[in-house]
Amino acid sequence: MEKTKAINPGPKPKKEDGTPDRRHRVTPETQPKHPGLKPHIHKPGEKK
């Protein structure tokens, strides 16, 4: 039987130069480029 490995949900590893990997993070200076999510509207009869 093969063992499956779980996905590690922890922080991303640091880069070789010691700084943290900043991929997939929105910083305050780039926030205007990333609009917020649109509100989700449920159809009549659809559960919330």
Side-chain angles (χ1 to χ4, degrees):
M1 185 185 289
E2 290 184 37
K3 243 185 177 181
T4 56
K5 209 171 185 186
I7 297 172
N8 184 1
K12 291 182 185 263
K14 293 187 186 266
K15 293 191 275 187
E16 291 148 6
D17 62 355
T19 58
D21 192 351
R22 297 186 61 83
R23 288 177 292 177
H24 300 289
R25 288 177 174 83
V26 178
T27 57
E29 58 268 9
T30 61
Q31 180 61 43
K33 294 184 203 172
H34 302 277
L37 296 173
K38 295 177 184 174
H40 178 76
I41 300 169
H42 289 274
K43 295 176 184 160
E46 187 179 44
K47 287 189 175 184
K48 291 184 180 183

